[in-house]
Amino acid sequence: MKNLFDVNGKVAVVTGGSRGIGAMIARGFVENGVKTYITARREEELQATVSELAQIGQCIGIPSDLSTMDGVIAFAAAVSAAEEKVHILVNNAGTTWGADIDVFPESGWDKTMDLNVKSLFFLTQKLLPALRSASAKDDPARVINIGSINGLTHPHMNNYAYSASKAAVHHLTRHLGADLAPQGVNVNAIAPGFFPSKMTAHLLDHESEMGALFPCGRLGNAEDVAGTAIYLSARASAWLTGQTIALDGGAVAASG
């Protein structure tokens, strides 16, 4: 049982890997010997993260726009051309939109659903051959979908499309987890609570006060999410599929 959390030598793909939770997970993989491909739409930001992580281990950047089917197909083709086997796919790329219900636009709804749900499903579909090839009898390939506690409880914000999309991600995780496990691919999700990121930067002026509101007394950090992703990618979680882990410092448990 000494190597239950060993991921050294695996190949991972992390979407939205240039910043925020995606970059935290990518760093955790790279530091633990995983050859990690990251993608993002902004090439300059992507290459900056690649340059940083490449000083630690193997990190390769492939720019892409996963908000369109053409972008999903092109990115999957680029990964498949480089790697016959992909052990880990982290579907992290996402977006949000906020507006009062009376004025919430169709464009904001479609943009959020297309990236958060549609692209996640079809990228998984396109990379299934590489995931199946990487599967071993006692250590399946893994898909890790990044959901949100906003998809588990009332978010108390006007991010209607975001909360609906993340609830869809959680249910899709359960559906795919059951369907793909017999094919050697386990699918699980992480539903993060409050982590410092560009998406939450406007809320960080009172970080310490916000952290005190959580049962664990602080906000999430890079080690928290990277450690959970490593667990979901390692032999330790080989019998876990279709599950969503609320990584939130106890926020959902305390929500009543």
Side-chain angles (χ1 to χ4, degrees), residues 96 157 194 197-206 210:
T96 189
M157 291 181 282
F194 200 103
S197 69
K198 186 172 182 178
M199 189 179 290
T200 61
H202 64 292
L203 300 172
L204 289 175
D205 291 340
H206 306 284
M210 290 189 66

Side-chain angles (χ1 to χ4, degrees), residues 109-174:
W109 184 274
D110 290 347
K111 177 183 177 181
T112 304
M113 288 293 182
D114 282 353
L115 184 56
N116 292 7
V117 185
K118 181 179 176 180
S119 72
L120 177 154
F121 176 81
F122 283 104
L123 182 59
T124 302
Q125 178 195 69
K126 302 304 179 189
L127 289 179
L128 269 178
L131 289 161
R132 292 179 180 125
S133 293
S135 179
K137 182 179 179 181
D138 294 325
D139 194 10
R142 315 301 169 89
V143 176
I144 303 171
N145 297 323
I146 304 302
S148 170
I149 61 169
N150 285 182
L152 296 172
T153 61
H154 191 297
H156 299 289
M157 291 181 282
N158 59 0
N159 57 349
Y160 300 103
Y162 181 80
S163 62
S165 73
K166 293 304 184 178
V169 167
H170 301 159
H171 192 72
L172 186 58
T173 295
R174 178 181 292 182

Side-chain angles (χ1 to χ4, degrees), residues 12-27 29 36-42 45-46 49 53 64-67 72 75 88-96 111-124 127 142-149 162 165-166 169-170 172-173 187-193 195-200 221-222 225-226 229 232 247:
V13 173
V14 181
T15 69
S18 65
R19 66 188 186 199
I21 283 175
M24 295 175 194
I25 291 173
R27 173 176 283 274
F29 284 162
T36 306
Y37 290 82
I38 64 173
T39 188
R41 187 167 54 85
R42 294 182 176 86
E45 190 174 71
L46 176 68
T49 303
L53 296 184
S64 70
D65 181 0
L66 299 180
S67 66
V72 169
F75 176 65
I88 308 157
L89 168 60
V90 180
N91 287 309
N92 169 72
T95 191
T96 189
K111 177 183 177 181
T112 304
M113 288 293 182
D114 282 353
L115 184 56
N116 292 7
V117 185
K118 181 179 176 180
S119 72
L120 177 154
F121 176 81
F122 283 104
L123 182 59
T124 302
L127 289 179
R142 315 301 169 89
V143 176
I144 303 171
N145 297 323
I146 304 302
S148 170
I149 61 169
Y162 181 80
S165 73
K166 293 304 184 178
V169 167
H170 301 159
L172 186 58
T173 295
V187 184
N188 293 291
I190 300 171
F195 282 77
S197 69
K198 186 172 182 178
M199 189 179 290
T200 61
N221 61 35
V225 72
L232 290 176
L247 183 65

Side-chain angles (χ1 to χ4, degrees), residues 46-68:
L46 176 68
Q47 293 307 324
T49 303
V50 169
S51 296
E52 180 182 342
L53 296 184
Q55 298 179 38
I56 304 167
Q58 290 182 285
C59 184
I60 303 97
I62 302 176
S64 70
D65 181 0
L66 299 180
S67 66
T68 69

